[in-house]
Amino acid sequence: MIENNTLKNSFEDIIRNLVPKLSSYEYICNVSSAGKAKTHDINTSLSDGLASLCVLFSELNKIYPNKNYDKIAHKFLTLITKTLNENNYISLSLWGGICGIALSSACMSDGFSRYRNFLNSVNKSIIYLLNEKLKFLKSVSTLKEKYYDVMYGLAGIANYCMLFLDSKEMIVSFKLIVEYFISLCKDYSIDGMYYPGFTINAAGSPFIQNKKSKYYVNLGLSHGIPGVLLILVKSYMKGIRLSGHLKAIQYLKDILLNSYIINQKRWPDSIIFHNGSNKGILEKCYMRDAWCYGTPGVAYVMLKTAEALNDGHLKTISVNAMLNSLKHQSGAIPPTFCHGYAGLLYLSNRFYKDTKIESFNDYQKSLVRKIFSSYNRQYAFGFKNIDIVEGKKCQTDNFGLLSGTIGIMLSLLAVYYGRKTPWDVAFLLDEY
């Protein structure tokens, strides 16, 4: 944790300014509906909806137990349950669906001592939907990121499931995910040529920038194979080890290690394959230093893989790559978590905890200052998210966990007070 009373006092002022805004459903609706014909309700998602508000106020409640923040979290959970009762369908995903709602209630549960009936009910639904999803995935021949990734797919769902491995039913379903991942960790034939496992057809994919490529392997933590590798590693370290498990870890580790650009100490966003070739080309046109894509997220996954394999060389590569990313911070424009400074801050915090290398602590301090410099009391949620749209910076008001103020606040709270609830499960950055 960072010890700096001046910066800490500044953060306390930010909290005092933002809590009244973020606790008001009406205020958030009005800001989110600005410029639209009518006021829209807030969605239920963990990404940028009601579930993210539950997470924030649960964390604040653990740090400031006398301010009744748990009642605010409960208010938002009540709105979520009302919405769920009025709708017949919700996705299974962590960031947009029922697993995200379940994670938010796990954060509210005070070590699973509260909301037990709600969690038990939701988990039964998750297990049923997960088993149905796995049946579907085993029947399809074309792989898509949304089937396996952290944001929409099995990697994010699996990490939520790992909170409940004391449940026999959840262990069975979790093992089915691990088994499915292991089955994909092999080269396979496409158009008469062999490609690495998790190769995606670029046609129609929203996650590949190079539209000239025929196929590609996504190397981002949010949508690519690093998330799968981390689930396999975490399962292995928890003693849940299936046939072919270690071989699968080695397989994905080798793909990532072979794509590492040694002279730049960086990982690219993807490996691309042009028409008529199964020789991978490292996609170098744009490499962001962020949690979602680029070196920081991959470096963390490789650090945890190195621990599992007791591989000192791999650990050195991951540490040096992360230090290099923190030095350059390429493309980390906004203060937010997904592709900005809050994500780098939390990753620096995790690297410092795991390695005790003081440089990571120094980078934490400098990143906190960068985040504070982007704060403006006049902004609707204190901070602006920034995206590049058609080559231009586009600033938006976003209160959410992924690309908004809540992700920033949780990252700052963690480095000042320590993480109190399992919100970082959403980013696969939880301790295990």
Side-chain angles (χ1 to χ4, degrees):
M1 290 182 284
I2 295 176
E3 298 294 337
N4 186 311
N5 289 331
T6 301
L7 290 177
K8 195 172 184 179
N9 289 337
S10 297
F11 184 39
E12 295 286 344
D13 180 63
I14 291 173
I15 293 172
R16 283 191 292 271
N17 176 44
L18 292 178
V19 161
K21 297 177 179 179
L22 293 172
S23 61
S24 170
Y25 181 83
E26 292 74 17
Y27 176 83
I28 296 171
C29 281
N30 288 333
V31 173
S32 301
S33 303
K36 298 176 182 177
K38 63 178 182 177
T39 301
H40 292 275
D41 292 335
I42 307 168
N43 68 63
T44 60
S45 76
L46 185 64
S47 172
D48 58 357
L50 294 169
S52 66
L53 291 160
C54 292
V55 170
L56 172 65
F57 285 102
S58 299
E59 189 75 9
L60 287 171
N61 188 64
K62 297 293 288 185
I63 297 168
Y64 308 101
N66 299 320
K67 292 187 178 292
N68 295 321
Y69 288 136
D70 57 336
K71 293 182 178 179
I72 299 174
H74 181 78
K75 175 185 72 174
F76 289 123
L77 183 62
T78 301
L79 291 172
I80 289 174
T81 55
K82 179 177 181 291
T83 301
L84 291 179
N85 290 333
E86 293 172 351
N87 291 277
N88 294 323
Y89 172 78
I90 185 171
S91 77
L92 182 58
S93 75
L94 180 59
W95 281 96
I98 193 169
C99 282
I101 293 169
L103 177 58
S104 71
S105 57
C107 291
M108 296 170 62
S109 71
D110 194 16
F112 305 109
S113 63
R114 305 170 69 186
Y115 298 98
R116 293 175 68 175
N117 290 338
F118 180 80
L119 279 167
N120 287 337
S121 175
V122 171
N123 282 346
K124 285 181 181 178
S125 297
I126 287 171
I127 290 169
Y128 172 78
L129 292 170
L130 175 55
N131 292 338
E132 292 299 305
K133 185 179 185 71
L134 285 164
K135 289 178 186 177
F136 165 74
L137 293 180
K138 290 176 182 179
S139 70
V140 299
S141 57
T142 301
L143 188 65
K144 298 179 180 180
E145 282 108 331
K146 67 179 182 180
Y147 295 162
Y148 68 80
D149 71 4
V150 174
M151 307 304 295
Y152 309 108
L154 291 179
I157 295 163
N159 212 41
Y160 169 76
C161 291
M162 293 181 83
L163 290 172
F164 299 95
L165 293 182
D166 56 343
S167 160
K168 291 181 180 179
E169 294 84 0
M170 194 66 88
I171 285 182
V172 170
S173 294
F174 176 75
K175 285 182 176 179
L176 289 174
I177 296 177
V178 174
E179 187 178 77
Y180 174 73
F181 282 164
I182 291 171
S183 74
L184 296 176
C185 292
K186 60 185 179 182
D187 292 357
Y188 60 101
S189 178
I190 307 176
D191 300 332
M193 289 185 287
Y194 278 89
Y195 292 84
F198 296 92
T199 294
I200 303 292
N201 190 325
S205 172
F207 302 116
I208 181 69
Q209 292 184 0
N210 190 325
K211 298 303 181 182
K212 295 179 180 179
S213 60
K214 174 80 171 178
Y215 302 109
Y216 69 101
V217 177
N218 194 315
L219 301 183
L221 176 53
S222 58
H223 295 293
I225 62 173
V228 175
L229 174 56
L230 189 50
I231 293 299
L232 291 176
V233 165
K234 292 178 71 173
S235 172
Y236 190 82
M237 294 296 284
K238 282 183 173 289
I240 301 175
R241 302 175 180 181
L242 306 183
S243 176
H245 201 139
L246 186 58
K247 185 178 179 181
I249 290 173
Q250 294 277 9
Y251 179 86
L252 294 180
K253 182 264 293 183
D254 287 344
I255 291 176
L256 289 170
L257 196 55
N258 290 335
S259 65
Y260 182 63
I261 304 172
I262 297 173
N263 63 340
Q264 297 183 35
K265 297 180 182 177
R266 300 170 72 86
W267 273 280
D269 288 351
S270 58
I271 306 169
I272 63 172
F273 304 96
H274 291 301
N275 288 344
S277 173
N278 62 351
K279 301 297 181 183
I281 300 171
L282 301 182
E283 180 59 271
K284 303 177 185 179
C285 62
Y286 182 65
M287 291 183 285
R288 170 181 274 160
D289 288 317
W291 168 81
C292 56
Y293 276 95
T295 298
V298 183
Y300 176 77
V301 173
M302 295 299 259
L303 177 69
K304 307 312 287 186
T305 304
E307 292 176 4
L309 300 177
N310 194 25
D311 188 332
H313 176 63
L314 184 59
K315 180 179 179 180
T316 298
I317 290 174
S318 67
V319 166
N320 289 338
M322 185 62 186
L323 288 171
N324 186 62
S325 274
L326 289 170
K327 177 182 178 181
H328 294 286
Q329 297 179 24
S330 301
I333 301 168
T336 51
F337 203 107
C338 181
H339 49 274
Y341 295 130
L344 287 179
L345 173 61
Y346 200 70
L347 281 163
S348 299
N349 180 265
R350 299 297 291 117
F351 265 86
Y352 180 61
K353 285 184 176 180
D354 287 349
T355 68
K356 308 304 180 190
I357 295 173
E358 195 60 32
S359 294
F360 289 119
N361 194 35
D362 293 337
Y363 278 116
Q364 282 190 90
K365 296 172 184 177
S366 66
L367 285 162
V368 165
R369 291 188 180 93
K370 281 189 174 183
I371 292 170
F372 282 179
S373 70
S374 65
Y375 171 73
N376 188 325
R377 290 181 66 90
Q378 303 308 312
Y379 291 163
F381 300 122
F383 300 92
K384 293 278 190 179
N385 183 39
I386 304 171
D387 283 306
I388 304 299
V389 180
E390 296 180 353
K392 297 180 180 179
K393 289 184 181 181
C394 179
Q395 297 191 51
T396 54
D397 294 307
N398 187 317
F399 68 88
L401 175 58
L402 186 65
S403 300
T405 294
I406 290 174
I408 298 168
M409 292 181 71
L410 288 171
S411 190
L412 290 169
L413 287 168
V415 300
Y416 279 116
Y417 301 100
R419 190 269 278 155
K420 307 297 183 184
T421 66
W423 62 266
D424 54 357
V425 164
F427 296 96
L428 268 65
L429 300 179
D430 51 305
E431 298 179 29
Y432 56 93

